[in-house]
Amino acid sequence: MPPPATSNLGYTPPDGGWGWVVVFSAFISIGFSYAFPKSLTVFFKEIQEYFSVSYSEIAWVSSVMLATMYAAGPISSVLVNRYGSRPVVMVGGFLVGLGMVSASFGTSIIHLYLCVGVIGGFGLAFNLQPALTIIGTYFHAKRPLANGLAMTGSPVLLFTLAPLNQFLFDSFGWRGSFLILGGITLNCCVAGSLMRPVKKTVESKPKEYALELNGPEEAVPVVSTESQSCVERFIDISLFKHRGFLIYLVGNIVLFFGFFAPIVFLALYAKHQGIDEYSAALLLSIFALSDMFVRPTTGFLGNTKWIRPRIQYFFAFAVSYNGVCHLLCPLLPGYTGLVVYAVFVGLGFGMLSALLFETLMDLVGAKRFSTAVGLCTIIECGPVLLGPPVSGALVDAFGDYKYMYYTCGAFMLAPGIFFFIMHYLNYKQLDEEKHKAAVEMRTAEDTVHLNIGQKDKSDDEIEK
Amino acid sequence: MSVSCLHFSSQLLLLLSFHRHVNTISENTTSITEPRVETPAPKTPPLAPLIPTQTAQRNVLLTGENHTEEIEVVNPVVLNLECIWPGNGKRLPNITGYWTKDGQTIETSYSNIQLENDLYRLIREFTIMNEDDLGNYSCLFGPKAKVKFIVAAPHLGEVRDKPIVSYVGDSVVMVCKMDEKKPQPISWNWYIQNGTNKVQIESDSNAHKYKITKDGNKTKLLVYNLTESDSGVYYCGAVYAVAISMGYMQLRVITYYEPLKPFMGILAEVVILVAVILLYEKIGSRKHGESAGTEENKDETNNLSHRDNDVAVAHSSTRQRKV
């Protein structure tokens, strides 16, 4: 196994065993969180006719759900920090189920916004954060692989939910489907029950033993949560002084503007070029398959000894690759061009998604990850929601899709280059700091050994 | 029989109203409720066929052995169909050509065709007035070559082929759309299947059962207070001067118990799984707890004191060793 960055968890994560079961449960939770809002679009046409509203009003249901999921991130983080992952995920699963079941009795579109959008969104937020956090507690050496596998849940569940939803709709209409979907999402509770809190076996190294002799103040390198102040427990503001976190945040805000729009508009772009509806839908399936297979592969690659120490460069590469794909899309001719684009952009999308949270864990460490991801999602809420409508406005303004693709490509290439430069500088700084810390540690050890020698001598003298 | 009677009477009314104003049709839907012949106003000549003012020409040069051409007809028209065939190489001076409609040979259409400029030509004029005149017209050159003309009113696009599902006590909206590019229908009608008849639905404000909205290319039928007897086949008809173009959809009304059964099944599965997983963990941890001691204790201070004890023990042991 490649030498991992030093873990400041204070215990050795199992890196296997029950951890793989946890990866499976995270797979389900993450899958539902990302795939569920997208899969509801199957029902929109009939619901739109039923409530006599416009398409954009019905599309808001998905948007409200996604927005709430991202905005409730910090709340989720606080709960996970306090109660652990398991109860939060079980409550989350229950909330989504409750939201869908009450929506099936809905009498107005506002009812749907509240039940599916707000309650469902909260439920999904309570699924996403804890699932990501618990992987960090169970894995360290194999964490990129575990993250990659867990993130594969999103395309796999989308692939399953889309035809399932169509089948439910044909058999039961939209009300019955919402009722049954409420039941299906309750399986997140099952996933939650599998998320056992990790058993923290503390390692006893001679180094720590030597340090402890200096007194209880310097004894434990891990800071317990009880000693932090009340405010710090809820919002870790010190994260905003963390170099790596700031780089990640700034880059992400920009890249999320161009992240989802090209995929959302892919089918429409194809139809605009005169391709029939079924072939256009096939493009999305090709994209999903490509995405599905690349995520675990990326996780595996990220775990290799060449990439793991410099995984931030891998992420920067993935972001830039996406940007280049989008920039080249308008230049590809015809349906074959679009198929090629779908395959390559599926690769890019999957690579980026698999590494998205792994890089954050790598930067801030597993202990502060929960808070960090909460802050990230609420700040990313803006670009994620604004991206597709702004891109749509671009398409309407120019009457052509290519300017939208150029813009999205630029919005992804720029952060990619930014990441390369900033992480190069960051790694240099981190290496210097490590070097300094190692030197200090050695001098401290020497003084400790001297002290032990002196203490023993003085003890002997007393006893004599 | 009664269906064609209904169509005949509706065609008649359409032909007459073609004379007057087109708009009156939408207001007068209530008058077309039963399959009976409406006696027209005595002033206008009753059954004298209107001479259509439109003519249309279609020429087809047949390159292979078969060809199909679609012709969309909205108003009554005189169709001039011409088939041109270059022959199959045998260069016979004359061959027999004839026309068929919907597979039935038109007896009066047999003719001898002379070879002119290496081409055989068949021309015939057809008067398309009403639905009975619509169909598949084919010109045949001997048994060898055939051109089929499908003469029809504009077809409805995007009609859902699977049944629409709704619930008892709920309401449902059924939509019929005519493609934007195709000509707009004069009006829309909705029918419900009753045995073998199509009975037209009227939008009555008293019973609060049906509501029909017509919006150019689109029409909606709203059915309120659904009961299981409302299940069945519904037809929407785009009314054109020449015929009514039909689309059909199926409505299925079910009770809430139908989706409730799978839901309860899934709920039971979730509860059982969660219970099994948690129980398994409790039993497993109890076994571990008996053998391993304080390993489950995640409390930091306990660990600290544990380590302090070790330290104290080691400390005293070194002291003892020194002595």
Side-chain angles (χ1 to χ4, degrees):
Chain A
M1 276 283 54
T6 46
S7 144
N8 57 351
L9 287 163
Y11 65 93
T12 30
D15 266 307
W18 188 256
W20 297 116
V21 180
V22 171
V23 167
F24 171 71
S25 63
F27 176 94
I28 301 217
S29 279
I30 294 173
F32 270 107
S33 300
Y34 282 117
F36 196 69
K38 290 183 214 166
S39 68
L40 290 178
T41 51
V42 175
F43 303 109
F44 285 172
K45 206 163 170 199
E46 198 194 301
I47 300 179
Q48 180 194 348
E49 292 295 348
Y50 184 86
F51 288 121
S52 317
V53 292
S54 68
Y55 189 79
S56 61
E57 281 180 286
I58 191 72
W60 267 103
V61 172
S62 256
S63 302
V64 170
M65 197 177 204
L66 207 62
T68 319
M69 182 174 100
Y70 273 81
I75 304 174
S76 190
S77 307
V78 164
L79 290 171
V80 170
N81 281 336
R82 196 145 148 72
Y83 299 108
S85 293
R86 176 188 263 170
V88 184
V89 174
M90 293 184 81
V91 168
F94 175 73
L95 278 177
V96 187
L98 181 73
M100 292 306 287
V101 169
S102 50
S104 79
F105 297 104
T107 50
S108 73
I109 193 87
I110 309 287
H111 193 129
L112 284 187
Y113 288 154
L114 286 173
C115 293
V116 178
V118 177
I119 302 179
F122 264 98
L124 291 181
F126 289 176
N127 263 287
L128 181 63
Q129 247 83 314
L132 294 166
T133 312
I134 201 167
I135 294 177
T137 63
Y138 265 88
F139 287 89
H140 187 70
K142 297 203 186 117
R143 201 178 58 201
L145 180 62
N147 264 315
L149 283 170
M151 294 298 285
T152 317
S154 173
V156 167
L157 252 101
L158 187 61
F159 214 68
T160 329
L161 278 177
L164 178 71
N165 280 7
Q166 187 66 51
F167 168 74
L168 285 175
F169 176 59
D170 291 337
S171 316
F172 299 108
W174 71 268
R175 286 190 192 269
S177 302
F178 275 19
L179 185 70
I180 296 178
L181 279 173
I184 292 177
T185 48
L186 279 177
N187 280 299
C188 290
C189 293
V190 178
S193 63
L194 286 169
M195 291 183 184
R196 273 187 216 169
V198 69
K199 293 194 177 72
K200 297 189 180 167
T201 52
V202 182
E203 48 193 55
S204 46
K205 289 191 202 146
K207 213 185 277 183
E208 267 178 53
Y209 169 88
L211 283 167
E212 275 146 41
L213 291 171
N214 282 330
E217 309 93 48
E218 290 171 62
V220 187
V222 177
V223 181
S224 66
T225 44
E226 278 85 282
S227 64
Q228 285 175 312
S229 77
C230 205
V231 179
E232 272 185 11
R233 240 161 75 201
F234 288 114
I235 313 167
D236 196 349
I237 311 175
S238 66
L239 271 173
F240 285 108
K241 297 191 207 130
H242 193 289
R243 225 171 26 245
F245 179 72
L246 284 173
I247 299 172
Y248 180 85
L249 195 62
V250 168
N252 271 32
I253 291 174
V254 180
L255 85 87
F256 269 102
F257 269 110
F259 191 39
F260 292 112
I263 320 302
V264 168
F265 286 103
L266 184 60
L268 288 165
Y269 180 48
K271 278 189 232 173
H272 179 80
Q273 290 195 331
I275 297 167
D276 66 283
E277 220 172 292
Y278 291 110
S279 307
L282 189 66
L283 282 173
L284 286 172
S285 306
I286 296 172
F287 166 82
L289 275 173
S290 173
D291 184 9
M292 213 185 286
F293 285 109
V294 97
R295 286 194 198 203
T297 320
T298 311
F300 177 73
L301 282 173
N303 232 140
T304 53
K305 67 172 187 283
W306 304 288
I307 297 184
R308 181 79 193 272
R310 295 288 183 251
I311 202 165
Q312 302 295 334
Y313 290 139
F314 194 23
F315 183 62
F317 166 73
V319 178
S320 321
Y321 170 77
N322 265 300
V324 169
C325 273
H326 296 326
L327 284 172
L328 291 178
C329 177
L331 304 171
L332 298 167
Y335 186 63
T336 0
L338 281 179
V339 172
V340 169
Y341 170 74
V343 171
F344 280 100
V345 90
L347 286 177
F349 194 89
M351 256 202 289
L352 205 160
S353 303
L355 293 171
L356 190 64
F357 295 109
E358 170 55 35
T359 45
L360 184 59
M361 273 189 220
D362 183 62
L363 287 167
V364 303
K367 271 198 65 60
R368 296 161 96 187
F369 175 75
S370 176
T371 328
V373 80
L375 286 171
C376 269
T377 49
I378 195 171
I379 296 173
E380 283 161 14
C381 196
V384 162
L385 285 178
L386 288 174
V390 167
S391 308
L394 264 173
V395 171
D396 289 335
F398 289 101
D400 196 352
Y401 284 84
K402 64 177 184 195
Y403 295 107
M404 187 263 296
Y405 277 100
Y406 289 147
T407 320
C408 290
F411 265 94
M412 295 207 77
L413 193 57
I417 299 173
F418 170 77
F419 279 138
F420 269 121
I421 302 171
M422 294 309 286
H423 281 301
Y424 172 71
L425 297 169
N426 192 35
Y427 273 135
K428 249 175 64 178
Q429 278 254 331
L430 282 172
D431 286 341
E432 275 171 38
E433 281 167 11
K434 245 187 253 170
H435 188 73
K436 258 191 246 165
V439 167
E440 280 173 15
M441 190 80 92
R442 238 178 284 136
T443 46
E445 274 179 22
D446 291 338
T447 46
V448 161
H449 281 307
L450 276 172
N451 282 347
I452 293 175
Q454 281 177 1
K455 258 193 195 164
D456 285 340
K457 265 197 219 157
S458 55
D459 287 339
D460 290 339
E461 285 169 13
I462 291 168
E463 275 164 29
K464 274 188 193 155
Chain B
M1 267 312 288
S2 45
V3 176
S4 54
C5 266
L6 172 66
H7 280 158
F8 180 71
S9 62
S10 57
Q11 293 318 309
L12 207 56
L13 267 163
L14 284 164
L15 282 171
L16 291 166
S17 57
F18 206 64
H19 238 341
R20 306 173 207 159
H21 295 288
V22 175
N23 293 330
T24 52
I25 289 239
S26 32
E27 266 82 6
N28 287 344
T29 41
T30 45
S31 56
I32 314 172
T33 43
E34 253 123 325
R36 58 188 167 84
V37 182
E38 289 273 275
T39 47
K43 288 178 205 157
T44 51
L47 296 167
L50 274 175
I51 301 161
T53 48
Q54 294 175 341
T55 51
Q57 178 106 10
R58 277 298 167 98
N59 311 334
V60 172
L61 172 64
L62 184 62
T63 43
E65 279 200 3
N66 277 315
H67 181 77
T68 309
E69 184 94 355
E70 282 188 25
I71 303 177
E72 217 171 67
V73 173
V74 173
N75 293 314
V77 69
V78 172
L79 263 183
N80 236 316
L81 299 174
E82 181 179 8
C83 303
I84 307 165
W85 188 43
N88 57 356
K90 281 198 189 144
R91 287 172 166 264
L92 293 162
N94 45 17
I95 54 170
T96 346
Y98 61 100
W99 291 86
T100 63
K101 179 182 184 293
D102 293 330
Q104 309 269 11
T105 318
I106 304 171
E107 296 296 331
T108 53
S109 66
Y110 276 101
S111 59
N112 247 328
I113 313 170
Q114 313 282 1
L115 182 65
E116 289 172 62
N117 301 328
D118 290 331
L119 294 168
Y120 299 102
R121 283 170 183 275
L122 250 185
I123 289 187
R124 194 176 171 86
E125 201 181 81
F126 296 97
T127 312
I128 314 290
M129 292 281 283
N130 53 36
E131 195 163 340
D132 295 326
D133 296 327
L134 296 172
N136 295 344
Y137 291 89
S138 303
C139 63
L140 287 102
F141 294 93
K144 314 267 186 193
K146 177 172 158 186
V147 179
K148 183 155 81 167
F149 296 92
I150 302 176
V151 182
H155 281 294
L156 290 166
E158 279 186 56
V159 182
R160 193 179 150 78
D161 50 353
K162 298 214 190 87
I164 300 174
V165 180
S166 192
Y167 292 89
V168 174
D170 198 7
S171 61
V172 74
V173 179
M174 288 189 266
V175 183
C176 260
K177 251 189 267 199
M178 181 58 81
D179 203 11
E180 295 282 323
K181 301 175 200 155
K182 298 202 181 154
Q184 221 181 69
I186 302 164
S187 176
W188 290 92
N189 291 338
W190 283 91
Y191 308 87
I192 187 170
Q193 184 93 26
N194 189 358
T196 49
N197 314 347
K198 286 198 190 83
V199 177
Q200 185 166 354
I201 300 169
E202 60 212 68
S203 169
D204 53 349
S205 46
N206 294 333
H208 284 294
K209 180 77 176 169
Y210 299 106
K211 183 168 157 215
I212 299 175
T213 58
K214 297 169 201 174
D215 192 13
N217 275 15
K218 211 162 78 158
T219 182
K220 286 191 206 178
L221 172 70
L222 286 93
V223 189
Y224 300 102
N225 286 328
L226 284 168
T227 58
E228 280 183 319
S229 60
D230 285 321
S231 307
V233 181
Y234 288 75
Y235 295 90
C236 63
V239 177
Y240 290 101
V242 69
I244 301 180
S245 183
M246 294 285 199
Y248 93 100
M249 52 197 68
Q250 206 180 345
L251 177 68
R252 227 183 91 208
V253 181
I254 55 178
T255 58
Y256 269 108
Y257 291 113
E258 283 213 29
L260 202 63
K261 283 181 262 172
F263 174 74
M264 288 312 218
I266 298 173
L267 193 66
E269 167 247 322
V270 166
V271 168
I272 291 172
L273 276 177
V274 171
V276 164
I277 290 169
L278 291 176
L279 267 173
Y280 179 71
E281 191 180 323
K282 268 232 166 73
I283 297 171
S285 69
R286 232 179 267 149
K287 278 195 206 147
H288 271 281
E290 286 161 9
S291 52
T294 51
E295 246 167 13
E296 280 153 47
N297 207 327
K298 293 168 250 152
D299 195 343
E300 211 84 34
T301 46
N302 273 1
N303 278 342
L304 259 176
S305 58
H306 190 67
R307 264 183 266 143
D308 281 337
N309 284 336
D310 278 349
V311 166
V313 166
H315 216 80
S316 53
S317 65
T318 50
R319 257 199 231 147
Q320 286 165 2
R321 256 186 268 134
K322 289 281 171 174
V323 171

